[in-house]
Amino acid sequence: MSEFFLAPVPQTVINTQGEVGFGKFSGAIADIDWSGLPVPFQRSALWRAVHHKHWQYLALATADIFCGIAIVDVGWTNTAFAYVFDRKEKKLIASFSQDGLPGLTASINSRPALGAASHFHFLRNRIDFTGASATDSARLDLVCGDFSIHVQLHEQQAAPALTAIGTVVGGTVHATVKSAGMPMTGEVQAAGRRYSLNDGVASTDHSNGFLARETDWRWASAHGLDVGFNLQSGYFGNNENALWLDGKLISLSTARFDFDPANPLASWHITTDDGLLDVIFQPEGCRREDKNLLIAASRYVQPIGTFSGWVKAHPAAEPRAINNLVGVTEDHFSRW
């Protein structure tokens, strides 16, 4: 059973022997610094500038609303989005999406957790995320158009984060840090209403690496305080597939996404080859955005909804029921 539980996170992505520390680990790595990459992962400065992709994503879920927020730096440009989805009305009630100016409107530092700092400022719109410090919780402050989000994320009360370091086809190396579900306190103001976040669950995703010109993935993420999972099929293989269960972080194998790309609001069936997860996702609505910038393009749909089914800590364990766990799936293609 021990092979399903993850080793502690290393201190750096490149170890003292000059090697990339590939693997899936329990805990958030302090810094994702790709300088000094060894052979065969070295590339020219121009190649690195074009292929370096770096993003910070946050999810905020309550019984009433779901919020998704992202800042993305693709090297030659940057972008951000944020939305508020009313789960009872089953529709977006606030949405922001803005392409930025290279080197001016967005910044994401290389620290995924302690000391993290991600910002997007464009005219009067601003998104500011600061990670936890030794004395304070992580915080998001967002004012975009006619809606705002102000929230503290209490990471110290959550299970260990997941750190995954691996290779990608058509790129070189990539690392991601996904948080477990964490308590939060704060408020959303949107559509003339105020929504408390105090009884909800937050999660974060910090990803940093050198990806292929064309990248695609299917993704599922859902979190409570006692159970949650992160699943991906696509550019990063099964590197980041994991289950959080009662404070433990458990490795999952290859994820299978059975859904209709032409109808993403139909149910999704998601399983893992190790037999540790089998869930049905029922969408309540979605955020969708397609872009064509001539030299770049993206097709993106992120349904919001609930997962039901079961998970296991190991193959011999009794199934643990999952009922109406709030989260998202995603079908995404980027030429960037």
Side-chain angles (χ1 to χ4, degrees), residues 40-51:
F41 307 111
Q42 293 177 354
R43 297 291 188 275
S44 70
L46 177 60
W47 188 95
R48 294 196 307 271
V50 171
H51 288 264

Side-chain angles (χ1 to χ4, degrees), residues 4 243 250-252 272 274-278 310-315:
F4 294 98
L243 166 69
I250 300 160
S251 179
L252 297 175
T272 55
D274 50 26
L276 299 187
L277 179 144
D278 189 321
W310 53 263
V311 296
K312 293 182 180 182
H314 55 83

Side-chain angles (χ1 to χ4, degrees), residues 27-314:
I29 200 164
D31 189 79
I32 302 175
D33 181 1
W34 292 121
S35 61
L37 270 173
V39 174
F41 307 111
Q42 293 177 354
R43 297 291 188 275
S44 70
L46 177 60
W47 188 95
R48 294 196 307 271
V50 171
H51 288 264
H52 186 213
K53 315 302 174 188
H54 196 181
W55 64 86
Q56 176 71 59
Y57 172 85
L58 296 92
L60 313 174
T62 75
D64 296 324
I65 61 171
F66 185 95
C67 305
I69 304 100
I71 301 170
V72 184
D73 188 343
V74 301
W76 53 273
T77 190
N78 55 72
T79 189
F81 72 77
Y83 67 83
V84 181
F85 179 81
D86 188 306
R87 297 187 57 216
K88 294 181 178 179
E89 295 184 5
K90 300 187 184 305
K91 67 178 184 179
L92 291 176
I93 58 171
S95 183
F96 169 80
S97 178
Q98 180 64 58
D99 295 321
L101 302 173
L104 296 176
T105 47
S107 65
I108 309 172
N109 75 3
S110 59
R111 295 182 175 273
L114 286 173
S118 301
H119 308 283
F120 185 88
H121 294 176
F122 191 97
L123 301 177
R124 295 179 180 272
N125 304 295
R126 62 181 181 89
I127 303 172
D128 295 301
F129 174 72
T130 54
S133 67
T135 59
D136 203 3
S137 300
R139 184 171 184 88
L140 170 72
D141 291 293
L142 176 153
V143 179
C144 292
D146 58 358
F147 74 102
S148 65
I149 304 172
H150 300 285
V151 61
Q152 286 187 297
L153 285 58
H154 304 296
E155 295 173 324
Q156 67 275 14
Q157 300 177 39
L162 164 74
T163 294
I165 306 168
T167 59
V168 288
V169 176
T172 55
V173 292
H174 183 71
T176 186
V177 175
K178 315 284 192 187
S179 79
M182 64 190 88
M184 60 180 174
T185 52
E187 183 182 76
V188 173
Q189 295 187 38
R193 286 170 281 177
R194 294 175 181 265
Y195 299 87
S196 173
L197 296 172
N198 293 357
D199 294 326
V201 177
S203 59
T204 62
D205 170 350
H206 183 113
S207 296
N208 181 342
F210 301 96
L211 305 187
R213 166 80 168 135
E214 293 190 352
T215 304
D216 68 277
W217 64 82
R218 271 65 53 203
W219 181 54
S221 175
H223 291 281
L225 299 181
D226 58 346
V227 62
F229 50 81
N230 184 85
L231 302 165
Q232 192 262 166
S233 173
Y235 78 101
F236 207 29
N238 65 357
N239 284 296
E240 63 179 61
N241 294 344
L243 166 69
W244 286 265
L245 191 60
D246 298 328
K248 302 293 186 181
L249 184 52
I250 300 160
S251 179
L252 297 175
S253 68
T254 301
R256 308 290 178 181
F257 288 72
D258 182 8
F259 74 108
D260 182 358
N263 184 18
L265 290 179
S267 62
W268 299 44
H269 184 202
I270 307 170
T271 59
T272 55
D273 285 359
D274 50 26
L276 299 187
L277 179 144
D278 189 321
V279 294
I280 298 292
F281 175 70
Q282 188 58 54
E284 298 171 345
C286 73
R287 178 183 183 269
R288 184 193 303 262
E289 186 171 38
D290 295 333
K291 291 184 178 182
N292 188 344
L293 304 178
L294 298 181
I295 63 171
S298 68
R299 297 192 303 272
Y300 161 93
V301 59
Q302 185 176 85
I304 304 103
T306 58
F307 294 86
S308 297
W310 53 263
V311 296
K312 293 182 180 182
H314 55 83

